[in-house]
Each structure stands twice: as C-alpha cells, then as structure tokens.
Amino acid sequence: MHILDISIMILYFSVLIIVGVIGSKRAKTADDFIVAGRNLGHFMYLSCLAAVILGGASTLGTAKLGYQFGISGIWLVVMIGLGIIAIGLFLTNKIFNLKVLTISEMLEKRYNSQTRLISALVSVIYTFMLTVTQVIGMGTILHVLAGWNLTVSMIVGGGIVLFYTILGGMWSVTMTDVVQFVIMTIGIFFIMLPMSISKAGGWGSLKENLPASHFELGNIGGETIFQYFLLFTLGVVVGQDIWQRLFTARTKAVSRGGTVGAGLYSVFYAIAISIIGMCAFIILPDLGDPQNAFTSIAMETLPVGLLGVVIASVVSALMSTASGTLLASSTLVVNDIIKKYIGPKMSERQFLKTSRITTLTIGVLTIIVSIWIQDILVALDVAYAILSGAVFFPIILGFFWKRVTATAAFYSILASMIVIIVGLVINGPSSTQPILYGLATSFVVITTITLLSSNNDHKNESEVKQDIKGKADMDTMANY
C-alpha cells in the first residue's frame, strides 16, 4: 500500500478522533451520552442510522457473497433494510413516545423487572457479538492492505473506536457517523462501484464472463434467504443498537422519515457491494479467501490516492457500527443492570463515569473475543440468532396484544434462549434450525401462558397507566 494511501487513512483516523473530542464537549448529561439529547435533525439522524446498520458484515460479507453467488448476495443487507423500513412504517410512533433508554426498560414498563433483566442479558450478547463482527472486519482490512499482523490490526481498529466512544458517547458517535456516512457514500457509490465495473470490462463483460447463475436473485438458495429474513429482518426490529438511534430523533417526523430513508439506502448499498463482488470474480478468479474480495479488488483496481479514500470508506462503515453497538452494550449494562440493581440512586455524574468505565471494559473484551473468533459471518449469525429468536415475540406482542402477561414474556425469553443456544451448539452457528426452534418456542410459551393465566396474573389497564405515569402511555401504545 502506497505511503499516500496510508497517509490518507491516518488523516481520516485523526479527523475522527478530533470530531469525537468535539462531540465529547456536548455529553454533559445521561441523555446526552446515551441518546444525544434526543435532538437530531433529519440529515444527522438518517446518517447515523444508516451508518450503524451498514458495517463489516454488510460490506465485506456482501462482497464475499457477491463473489460466490452474484447478485443474489444482496439478500443479507436487503433483509436488514426491510427490517429498518418496517420499523419506520409501523413502529416509530410507538417507540418515539416511550422516552426510555433501552428496549429492556420498555419491557419492564410493559411486563416486570424480571423481564427487563433477562431481555437485557440477551440484548447485551447480541450487541456485544455485533461489535465483535466490526472489529474482525477492521482487522481484516488493515491486515490485508497494510500487511500488519491480524491481531495488531484488530487492536488498532477497535482501539480507535473505543477511544472516541468513551469520550462523548452518542454525541461523539453521531458526529463521527456523519463524517463516516459521507465518506462511505462517496467511496462506494462514486469511486469503487464504477471503477470496479470498468476494470472488469463493463457490464457487458460481466454478462459474458460470469456464470448465468450469478444474475439470478435466488442463486444463494431459498433456505438461506429465509434464514436472512429470520436473522436480520426480525433481528433489527428488536435491536437495542437500532432503537437507541431511534431515541435520538428530535421529532416523530424525523424518526419516521429518517428510518425509512436509511432502509432504502441499505437496499442500494446491497446492490452496489454485490456488483463489486461480482467484478472481483472476474478480476481475481482464483482468490483464496472470498472474505478478502472487497479489499483485494480495491488494491487491484484503484490508483494511488483513491485507494486510501475507498479503504477509509469501508473502515467508516465498520467503525460507525462498532461504536453504536459498543455504546448499546454499555447502555444496557449500566441502565438495566448496574443502575437498576446496584446503584439506583446514582447521580448524573456517577452515571456518566460508570458508563465510560463499562464501555472501556466491554471494548477490551470485544477485542479479545474478536481475536479469538476471527470469522465475521459466524459472529454475526450468533448475534442475530440469539436476539431474533428470543425477544422478537415478547416485544412485538407487547405492542399489539394487551393480554400478554409478564410471566409469559419472561419464560418465553428464557425458554427460547436456552433452545437457541443448545441448537447453535448442536447444529452450528450457520444453521437456520436454532432460530426456527427459538421462535416457535417463544411464540408457543408466550401465547400458552398468557391464555392460561387468570386476570390476576397480569396488570389491568389502570395499573399499566399508573406504572408509567410521567414517561409513556403503554396502554395507548398497544392501541396504535
């Protein structure tokens, strides 16, 4: 890699650190640190939401799938985009009214404190593993391009994210995300995509030299597409990292419009990255590891200077997601476990200090686990399998079915989580069966216990309203 490209990347990292420091000046309260004061406008909101959902798996993983399966590689990110669009169309009004910091806090208001605790533990596993995927991705890029040891690469990439996230929380994350969104848009759509197609000989050359199956949307297989739906469409709908961004919107209009816009952006991103992977198949037909498809074609295709910009754009995608999921993990631990059970009377200053210490601890653990796993799609599968299988029905039915009881929600999460973990151990992390078994277990348990429960086993309408007075009307929420 040329010294000019390395200099561009170093300059980019420096800008992120500076922007992170500037953002830290605005993090004076818990709301500032966790949800950017709930004050983001349209552009900042759309930018930070798009940046958090398009990370390492979305970029490196989709390029790998495009290399292997052609245009059918879009389905991983398209399913993420569909989940985001579904949130925008059907849930943003409900979510905006809650005025909470986490999904688990909402579940306590709807059910009870036990449900809050177990859902927080599930969500922490999800956001933690999602952060791991981004650190693996950053390490892979720096390893391939800079020639650094993979372990060192993960430490450098993860360390930078950890630094600016600790400084200013969501304000630092948001301000760096805006920079990252602009860089990744320019790098992918205006540099990498057209130059990859040109290097491959144009679209006609793709049609002529690629297998016909590379132009079939179903080439990756119906079972895999269905698995992606279960993992990603259902998963993002109930993801703490996504909800935490939704809480940052200034108004309902910002929340709804920005969410749908970010989902549509994801679909176009999926198409662009898949085509880049298809170009790599022609330019580098004997590539040893398809996971390196994106970085390898970048090195093969781009001239000095532009390579640095494009690599910075990919690193942007990974860093923005990593910072968001890292902050989500920290928020769940501090807000739903430490503050709830250890320090319920902690002050704003103590909350901020605890959040920073927790973020540091989780960040270090993330880097260690990333070095251990080293496979981006395996880590992603584990993250989404546990989340979508265990908490989807308790959250969604909590919005739309008033009779669901706290006992039903608690045992639904507990039983499905056990089933999913056992299934992942037996069938492997890439199997669809554990998710299906988890969803089925969750649905059967929550509906059966609810229908068998007497009226005394769950809150009546007046109790619900009294429990949430001053924050959100959950009874109204269930009737939207």
Side-chain angles (χ1 to χ4, degrees), residues 26 69 163 221 224 233 244 345-346 463:
R26 308 186 69 170
F69 302 103
F163 176 75
T224 300
T233 303
Q244 196 160 340
K345 296 181 180 180
M346 66 169 59
E463 289 174 325

Side-chain angles (χ1 to χ4, degrees), residues 183-198 276 301-303 305-311 313:
I183 294 295
M184 63 191 277
T185 300
I186 294 172
I188 298 300
F189 289 99
F190 296 100
I191 298 178
M192 192 65 193
L193 178 60
M195 294 197 71
S196 295
I197 295 175
S198 176
I276 291 170
T301 302
L302 300 176
L306 287 182
L307 177 60
V309 175
V310 169
I311 297 307
S313 72

Side-chain angles (χ1 to χ4, degrees), residues 276-341:
I276 291 170
M278 294 164 66
C279 294
F281 186 88
I282 293 178
I283 299 169
L284 302 165
D286 300 318
L287 188 62
D289 184 358
Q291 184 164 281
N292 296 331
F294 188 95
T295 51
S296 298
I297 190 177
M299 293 184 69
E300 183 72 22
T301 302
L302 300 176
V304 173
L306 287 182
L307 177 60
V309 175
V310 169
I311 297 307
S313 72
V314 179
V315 174
S316 293
L318 275 66
M319 284 187 164
S320 56
T321 301
S323 58
T325 52
L326 175 60
L327 185 61
S329 295
S330 173
T331 302
L332 287 161
V333 171
V334 176
N335 189 66
D336 297 317
I337 299 175
I338 296 177
K339 184 179 179 180
K340 175 70 176 178
Y341 296 99

Side-chain angles (χ1 to χ4, degrees), residues 46 50 84-85 256-266:
L46 188 152
I84 297 298
I85 292 172
R256 185 182 181 89
T259 303
V260 173
L264 293 174
Y265 180 91
S266 301

Side-chain angles (χ1 to χ4, degrees), residues 457-472:
D457 290 331
H458 57 85
K459 296 179 180 179
N460 59 36
E461 182 176 345
S462 62
E463 289 174 325
V464 171
K465 289 182 178 180
Q466 179 65 30
D467 188 40
I468 62 175
K469 186 177 180 181
K471 288 196 173 183

Side-chain angles (χ1 to χ4, degrees), residues 119-146:
S119 64
L121 294 174
V122 171
S123 295
V124 166
I125 295 173
Y126 156 72
T127 51
F128 178 83
M129 292 304 296
L130 208 56
T131 311
V132 167
T133 67
Q134 311 314 309
V135 176
I136 293 173
M138 285 184 279
T140 300
I141 291 174
L142 294 175
H143 171 64
V144 172
L145 295 178

